[in-house]
Amino acid sequence: MRRRLLALVCVSASLLSGCGLVPHGGGGERRTVTVWLMKDSASPDFLRRFTEDFEHTHTDLDLDIRIQEWTGIGPKVQAALKADPGDDSGGDSGDSADGDLPDVIEVGNTQVPQYVDEGRLLDLTLESLRDWGADRWLPGLAEPGQLRGTQYGIPWYAANRVVIYRKDLFEKAGVEAPPRTRAEWLEATRKLDQGAAQGIYLAGQDWYTLSGFIWDEGGELAQERDGGWKGTLDTPAALRGMDFYRRLQALGDGPADADEEHPPQAGVFAHGDVAQIIAVPGLARAILEQNPQLEGKLGFFPVPGPAAGRPGAVFTGGSDLIVPQNTDDRAGALAVVGALTGEKWDSELARTMDYVPNKADLARAVAGEEGVAAMAKGAARGRATPSTPEWAVVEADNPIKAYMTAVLTGADPEAEARKASRRITEQLQVPLS
């Protein structure tokens, strides 16, 4: 059997043979496990080290790791899941580099439901409970990988929003320590919102941040009722979350009719007297690139919750690993998933890439990095969007954004919430094409 070698430096979607690892000696025939990972999820050095260790400890397996682009990955994965495993030409899998179908695929955690809906993923519930510590997984990664109690997506790594703040502006305003509760957060932000300084830059349509406030109040974006999904922005709990967003957003000059990318909030923070933004810690790099004078002045803390000692709920993004039904090497695929998501390599990935590990008790792996440590604390209370394939329809034409803008510009919150909830309910009845 031919052997593939790890070679990200070869600038290819496929990892080509002959690019730097020492061949295995002797022994019987080795099987190749093909793995699709997304661009920039793991560094070339991490993948080189993982491959060497995996192939050393699994003497019957070789790895073929192929790097994929996020753009257009949905149709490509769906084609691979539908392909005939007996067709070595690759069929319509879209990966023409050598024709082999993937045995393991990295997908975004919120993408799992749409692939589950296709009915072409392996049920990994037994392995999850018996071998992989499912009871310790971050809920924001684990929950989207489930359907009616069956686990299909295995959490790999997470990332979520924290508060990035200016230490110098906090000191100038007399705010001695990061706030621990929502009440403290509002009080501190009012002190910071003086003169030319903005207490916080919060765009009016940052619906991921709003989601966390709604979850903290016990609300939901949508819920499954009587066999169908319904929008629930008009519940008292969800309305309380929106009211807190409104009060916080008013303590700065964020546009009511735009999201955090219009304009990119890194640039706003870098070039203005902005005391705080809500973003993933990695955005600090973009801020410093645009304004090196802020070096040493940036700090991080978890999004505060209603009570001290418990960070606020946050939307958790990240990746899960799935195994297609049409894999021709189930055992090899499970070995790869178990190794990548196990304590050793999941912790190493977190340290290498500044991610949150897939289990809260592995947060010690990133404890030395302030921004990532703050992110890990929040991830323990992470959540994901409603676990239904049709949620993609909601995000494509998002009524939550229009609802937020309406409330922030003076419209009646209850009336607008009912309107948005009806629209979400309609969208969740639309099957994906």
Side-chain angles (χ1 to χ4, degrees):
M1 176 177 286
R2 64 174 182 249
R3 177 168 183 269
R4 300 185 186 282
L5 301 173
L6 185 64
L8 288 176
V9 294
C10 294
V11 193
S12 170
S14 175
L15 300 177
L16 306 177
S17 61
C19 288
L21 295 182
V22 178
H24 295 277
E29 184 180 13
R30 299 176 63 88
R31 310 190 314 275
T32 297
V33 181
T34 301
V35 183
W36 285 7
L37 299 181
M38 302 309 298
K39 183 179 179 182
D40 298 327
S41 287
S43 69
D45 180 64
F46 172 88
L47 292 177
R48 178 188 59 78
R49 289 184 285 115
F50 173 77
T51 298
E52 288 178 339
D53 181 80
F54 183 87
E55 294 183 344
H56 177 73
T57 56
H58 297 78
T59 57
D60 57 340
L61 298 175
D62 289 322
L63 287 184
D64 172 11
I65 301 180
R66 301 185 179 191
I67 304 304
Q68 310 294 324
E69 297 283 347
W70 282 108
T71 303
I73 191 59
K76 188 172 184 178
V77 170
Q78 288 169 338
L81 296 178
K82 296 175 183 177
D84 179 0
D87 180 8
D88 195 45
S89 68
D92 58 355
S93 73
D95 196 57
S96 59
D98 224 315
D100 292 327
L101 296 175
D103 300 295
V104 178
I105 308 173
E106 175 194 352
V107 298
N109 62 320
T110 60
Q111 295 175 335
V112 178
Q114 71 186 68
Y115 302 132
V116 172
D117 194 51
E118 296 284 329
R120 295 182 170 89
L121 302 184
L122 278 187
D123 174 356
L124 303 177
T125 308
L126 174 61
E127 291 80 9
S128 299
L129 295 171
R130 184 189 62 197
D131 305 323
W132 297 338
D135 59 327
R136 295 156 53 212
W137 285 339
L138 296 175
L141 292 182
E143 290 171 359
Q146 296 177 3
L147 181 65
R148 291 185 285 275
T150 300
Q151 193 75 42
Y152 298 96
I154 306 305
W156 191 21
Y157 65 83
N160 53 266
R161 288 161 176 77
V162 302
V163 182
I164 304 176
Y165 73 100
R166 287 270 301 271
K167 294 179 179 180
D168 56 329
L169 295 182
F170 267 53
E171 182 178 359
K172 183 179 178 181
V175 180
E176 297 180 356
R180 300 170 301 160
T181 67
R182 279 191 187 177
E184 291 179 1
W185 196 15
L186 283 176
E187 181 181 358
T189 305
R190 289 191 188 100
K191 291 181 180 179
L192 292 159
D193 191 43
Q194 301 293 331
Q198 296 185 55
I200 189 168
Y201 179 85
L202 182 57
Q205 296 183 350
D206 186 351
W207 70 277
Y208 283 122
T209 293
L210 170 65
S211 299
F213 299 160
I214 289 174
W215 293 328
D216 269 334
E217 294 291 343
E220 300 288 346
L221 304 177
Q223 285 184 301
E224 193 172 14
R225 297 174 180 168
D226 303 322
W229 283 85
K230 300 182 184 301
T232 53
L233 293 177
D234 54 339
T235 63
L239 286 166
R240 289 195 299 270
M242 181 66 224
D243 186 62
F244 179 78
Y245 190 101
R246 177 189 60 78
R247 287 184 287 156
L248 185 66
Q249 198 268 345
L251 300 175
D253 300 328
D257 60 350
D259 62 26
E260 63 275 20
E261 291 301 321
H262 299 89
Q265 62 178 345
V268 176
F269 190 86
H271 298 297
D273 289 329
V274 176
Q276 306 170 89
I277 57 172
I278 302 171
V280 294
L283 198 70
R285 288 190 289 271
I287 293 168
L288 293 175
E289 287 174 0
Q290 297 180 58
N291 187 355
Q293 294 182 2
L294 293 179
E295 184 71 48
K297 297 180 180 179
L298 302 184
F300 309 84
F301 59 88
V303 173
R310 192 180 188 196
V314 288
F315 169 76
T316 301
S319 285
D320 285 12
L321 300 178
I322 59 175
V323 179
Q325 283 273 12
N326 60 10
T327 177
D328 61 0
D329 193 345
R330 185 182 191 278
L334 295 183
V336 172
V337 172
L340 275 174
T341 63
E343 179 173 349
K344 175 182 177 179
W345 287 105
D346 203 68
S347 297
E348 183 61 25
L349 180 71
R351 282 189 292 266
T352 300
M353 303 299 295
D354 289 344
Y355 293 146
V356 176
N358 60 9
K359 299 180 178 72
D361 56 12
L362 298 182
R364 60 185 181 274
V366 294
E369 176 61 43
E370 181 184 1
V372 185
M375 185 166 63
K377 290 179 181 178
R381 299 204 61 233
R383 295 282 304 277
T385 50
S387 184
T388 170
E390 286 73 30
W391 187 256
V393 179
V394 177
E395 293 197 22
D397 182 22
N398 198 329
I400 305 174
K401 290 186 172 185
Y403 158 62
M404 296 173 73
T405 295
V407 173
L408 295 176
T409 53
D412 178 65
E414 293 187 18
E416 294 299 326
R418 286 194 296 270
K419 184 190 303 182
S421 293
R422 285 195 298 270
R423 181 59 181 149
I424 290 172
T425 300
E426 293 169 358
Q427 292 171 315
L428 292 177
Q429 312 311 311
V430 178
L432 293 176
S433 56

